[in-house]
Amino acid sequence: MDQPDDTSDHPLSFDGLSEFLEVPGESESPVLAAGTRVGDVTLGHLLGEGGMGRVYEGYQDSPQRTVAVKLVRSGILSASAAKRFHMEAQILGRLSHPGIARIYSAGIETLAGGPVPYFVMELVDAARPLTTFAFERNLTTRERVTLFQQVAAAIAHGHQRGIVHRDLKPSNILVDSTGQPKIIDFGVARSTDGDVALTTMHTDVGQLVGTLQYMSPEQFSGNVDELDLRADVYSLGVVLYELLTGSLPYNIQNRPLHEAARVVIETDPPFLSSVSSRLRGDLTTIVATCLD
């Protein structure tokens, strides 16, 4: 088993986490202006946002480099999770694999509205979501499988160190300008109590957000502390199904949460071979095993 490299060149800072208290969630905090300071980083423009927070481009002082900064939405990190955040964020910072975007540091910054947890991460150059990259490049089935093998190897690296991603989906599996897949947000959902946020934030009258389409049946139960690496295996199966067919194994868009949960838990998705005859054999077996 390979060992993580020395992280002394990437010191982690978690000042103030032990004093963090849960704050009420905001209806919608404003986008921060370029030039705002978060730790030793100066924020640039907004890169994107999701259920857990916003991601900005940033410029770190030392070492000088361009980074990505994820600001977690207020209220996601509960008081009971503060110590766990402190411990687990340090573990995440020690993950070292070419297929995993590095977490350089983490901490809390007092911004408008109160204390906000943040992660300073590796910025993936010319990032494209895995499925978008494959379809834009018109990759063959063999090329898609080869690309996905790199993703699986990166996930295995985290699993060997006891870290479950818990939010695998194409937008968290980016491909850089060289064609190297980079998994982002590895373990962040666990560190910030984000599983609950993923099922509740940005919903309208009980309608589903996209992330839930990749969640394992166990995650719908709410017993998130009991999740293990099998949850990631399930999500990988969903992503591989979409990567190969262009569609998801379950059609649960625009369904209430309870109905979506019933579909995922009680029904079997169509086999790959029923979608395309060219996907028979081992590929069908592998994806069906992941989703079992």
Side-chain angles (χ1 to χ4, degrees):
M1 182 185 301
D2 56 327
Q3 297 296 324
D5 64 353
D6 181 16
T7 60
S8 58
D9 290 336
H10 306 287
L12 298 174
S13 173
F14 306 97
D15 294 338
L17 286 174
S18 62
E19 298 177 5
F20 183 83
L21 296 177
E22 184 175 7
V23 295
E26 300 172 274
S27 57
E28 192 63 38
S29 59
V31 174
L32 297 177
T36 302
R37 294 285 294 178
V38 175
D40 66 341
V41 175
T42 302
L43 296 186
H45 66 280
L46 179 69
L47 294 174
E49 61 183 307
M52 288 180 60
R54 293 191 175 105
V55 180
Y56 296 82
E57 183 175 287
Y59 308 95
Q60 192 170 33
D61 295 336
S62 181
Q64 292 185 344
R65 56 189 168 193
T66 304
V67 296
V69 182
K70 175 180 279 289
L71 299 180
V72 180
R73 291 184 185 276
S74 298
I76 289 181
L77 186 63
S78 65
S80 63
K83 290 184 179 179
R84 188 175 72 194
F85 180 96
H86 178 92
M87 176 184 68
E88 293 190 0
Q90 294 185 64
I91 296 173
L92 300 182
R94 296 191 182 102
L95 287 177
S96 179
H97 188 278
I100 299 176
R102 293 290 301 268
I103 293 180
Y104 297 132
S105 63
I108 285 179
E109 187 73 21
T110 300
L111 301 169
V116 177
Y118 68 88
F119 293 87
V120 179
M121 305 177 293
E122 175 184 353
L123 180 66
V124 182
D125 180 49
R128 306 294 288 168
L130 178 71
T131 49
T132 302
F133 177 86
F135 294 120
E136 286 181 348
R137 299 291 182 94
N138 197 26
L139 299 185
T140 65
T141 297
R142 181 175 295 276
E143 289 171 332
R144 292 172 194 233
V145 171
T146 299
L147 187 65
F148 192 81
Q149 285 177 314
Q150 298 179 64
V151 174
I155 294 296
H157 175 85
H159 287 176
Q160 288 166 359
R161 285 148 184 79
I163 304 173
V164 181
H165 189 287
R166 300 158 75 99
D167 189 24
L168 285 170
K169 54 188 176 181
S171 60
N172 276 342
I173 306 172
L174 305 179
V175 184
D176 69 15
S177 57
T178 70
Q180 169 68 54
K182 291 271 190 180
I183 299 168
I184 64 172
D185 284 358
F186 212 118
V188 168
R190 163 78 180 186
S191 297
T192 61
D193 279 355
D195 295 276
V196 175
L198 295 174
T199 64
T200 58
M201 307 214 46
H202 288 289
T203 61
D204 296 314
V205 196
Q207 301 302 302
L208 288 173
V209 292
T211 291
L212 295 185
Q213 301 194 55
Y214 302 91
M215 284 173 56
S216 68
E218 291 78 12
Q219 285 174 288
F220 282 96
S221 72
N223 296 322
V224 295
D225 286 334
E226 298 179 4
L227 295 179
D228 58 30
L229 58 85
R230 290 172 293 183
D232 281 354
V233 172
Y234 176 90
S235 298
L236 284 174
V238 177
V239 172
L240 181 55
Y241 192 108
E242 184 180 11
L243 181 64
L244 294 173
T245 68
S247 61
L248 289 159
Y250 297 103
N251 181 15
I252 58 174
Q253 283 188 318
N254 300 320
R255 297 197 183 195
L257 178 58
H258 71 276
E259 185 178 341
R262 181 189 59 77
V263 170
V264 172
I265 293 170
E266 298 180 2
T267 64
D268 294 324
F271 285 111
L272 281 181
S273 55
S274 70
V275 179
S276 173
S277 59
R278 63 184 172 81
L279 299 175
R280 293 178 178 177
D282 289 344
L283 278 178
T284 290
T285 302
I286 289 168
V287 172
T289 301
C290 290
L291 297 178
D292 187 3

